[in-house]
Amino acid sequence: MATNLNKEQKLFVEEINNNILVSASAGSGKTTTMIEKLKKLILFNKVPVENLLVVTFTEAAASEMKQKLYVKLAEEIAAMDLPESEINYFYEQLFNISTADIGTLHSV
């Protein structure tokens, strides 16, 4: 379930082991791009949700990000042909999204 990302957004999603600052105006696709990055980390790099720290500016944005991450991850998992052992791992990651460290600077 690919999302249409521009060149810079794709670079961000693919980059691993480097610090990257994402700065863009409202409505430019920051949340969508971040969801794609998180999805890649969880599904393909096997980074557990509990190891992630995602900081946003508002509680509303953090809540929206958790909700969107859950939906996109669930869609991706359902579309993949996975062995039972991996399915259990990914469902555990879905369960952990509700308590993930996704929030504002003050809340995390």
Side-chain angles (χ1 to χ4, degrees):
M1 316 221 170
T3 301
N4 294 327
L5 301 175
N6 66 32
K7 180 180 153 188
E8 290 81 12
Q9 291 167 325
K10 286 178 185 174
L11 284 171
F12 169 74
V13 170
E14 296 300 322
E15 186 60 45
I16 299 291
N17 296 327
N18 285 310
N19 296 324
I20 298 175
L21 172 66
V22 177
S23 177
S25 60
S28 61
K30 292 182 300 295
T31 300
T32 298
T33 305
M34 183 61 84
I35 295 301
E36 289 300 311
K37 175 76 166 191
L38 294 171
K39 219 171 60 171
K40 181 181 186 316
L41 288 170
I42 295 165
L43 292 175
F44 303 108
N45 297 99
K46 302 291 191 295
V47 175
V49 169
E50 64 210 26
N51 289 2
L52 299 172
L53 172 63
V54 181
V55 180
T56 66
F57 284 103
T58 67
E59 288 294 338
S63 177
E64 176 187 9
M65 191 171 288
K66 282 184 178 184
Q67 181 181 25
K68 286 183 176 185
L69 179 59
Y70 184 91
V71 169
K72 293 294 185 179
L73 202 57
E75 289 174 353
E76 196 79 27
I77 292 167
M80 296 171 81
D81 185 26
L82 298 166
E84 179 123 3
S85 61
E86 286 191 37
I87 289 173
N88 292 336
Y89 169 78
F90 289 129
Y91 281 129
E92 181 180 320
Q93 300 316 303
L94 280 174
F95 179 78
N96 290 338
I97 289 173
S98 65
T99 58
D101 288 327
I102 300 175
T104 66
L105 282 171
H106 294 88
S107 70
V108 297

